[in-house]
């Protein structure tokens, strides 16, 4: 465990202790609510992990890397960004997935484009987001997220 993770755990425990001292009943209620929310997300989390594992089994990262390497870096970056828009995936699933692509030889710029759109843009979630926030907000948010994903990929490609 790295120092940052340890610091986060320590800070969490300290603040939890302060909360327990200040108002034990409300803290216990909040912890019960958090546990209930966590239980509700477990099925979704395992479903996503299973789906990613299945996809990587059917289409190994080496095949994706080979496909991307046959195109120019800018076309591969655009392709990675478009591929990432298909589903909105939580970062804890997206980072290991992109790590396997990088390990398989995919350049940094397309990998970053894929990662940022994978976590920020979601075509699959458009109907739900449109229903909750409205069409204009949904389209502007997803459009800006896509543009910024490309900018981030270009910058990261230049840095790394």
């Amino acid at each position: 465990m790295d120092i940052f993770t340890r610091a986060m755990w320590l800070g969490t425990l300290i603040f939890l202790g302060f909360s327990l001292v200040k108002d034990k009943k409300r803290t216990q209620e909040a912890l019960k609510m958090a546990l209930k929310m966590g239980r509700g997300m477990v099925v979704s989390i395992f479903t996503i992990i299973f789906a990613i594992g299945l996809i990587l089994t059917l289409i190994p990262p080496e095949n994706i890397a080979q496909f991307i390497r046959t195109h120019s870096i800018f076309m591969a970056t655009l392709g990675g960004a478009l591929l990432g828009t298909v589903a909105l995936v939580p970062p804890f699933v997206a980072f290991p997935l992109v790590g396997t692509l990088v390990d398989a030889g995919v350049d940094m710029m397309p990998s970053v484009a894929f990662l940022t759109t994978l976590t920020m843009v979601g075509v699959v979630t458009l109907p739900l987001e449109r229903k909750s926030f409205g069409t204009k907000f949904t389209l502007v948010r997803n459009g800006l997220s896509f543009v910024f994903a490309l900018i981030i990929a270009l910058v990261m490609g230049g840095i790394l």
Side-chain angles (χ1 to χ4, degrees):
M1 194 178 321
D2 66 352
I3 186 114
F4 179 75
T5 304
R6 289 176 195 226
M8 291 298 289
W9 274 104
L10 181 63
T12 300
L13 291 174
I14 289 171
F15 285 116
L16 180 60
F18 283 143
S19 182
L20 280 168
V21 169
K22 182 170 173 139
D23 191 343
K24 187 175 181 177
K25 185 177 180 185
R26 285 181 60 191
T27 302
Q28 288 174 338
E29 288 174 11
L31 288 172
K32 286 177 186 175
M33 285 174 43
L35 185 62
K36 185 178 178 183
M37 288 173 55
R39 280 191 215 142
M41 293 181 352
V42 166
V43 172
S44 298
I45 290 168
F46 283 126
T47 303
I48 290 168
I49 291 172
F50 177 77
I52 296 297
L54 183 63
I55 290 168
L56 288 176
T57 301
L58 298 174
I59 308 170
E62 295 81 17
N63 291 2
I64 297 170
Q66 181 61 33
F67 175 78
I68 290 176
R69 276 183 280 190
T70 60
H71 295 85
S72 72
I73 189 74
F74 292 107
M75 288 304 292
T77 301
L78 185 60
L82 289 172
L83 185 61
T85 63
V86 173
L88 191 62
V89 175
F92 70 88
V93 176
F95 283 110
L97 172 61
V98 172
T100 59
L101 294 176
V102 170
D103 290 343
V106 175
D107 288 325
M108 192 55 62
M109 205 179 307
S111 297
V112 171
F114 178 66
L115 174 67
T116 52
T117 56
L118 196 61
T119 57
M120 296 188 329
V121 182
V123 173
V124 173
T125 59
L126 278 176
L128 178 63
E129 189 176 348
R130 191 176 72 215
K131 183 179 175 185
S132 299
F133 302 113
T135 303
K136 183 178 178 183
F137 175 85
T138 300
L139 294 176
V140 169
R141 190 200 69 75
N142 280 286
L144 287 174
S145 294
F146 186 79
V147 169
F148 283 117
L150 290 175
I151 293 169
I152 291 166
L154 291 170
V155 170
M156 292 303 291
I159 292 173
L160 302 174

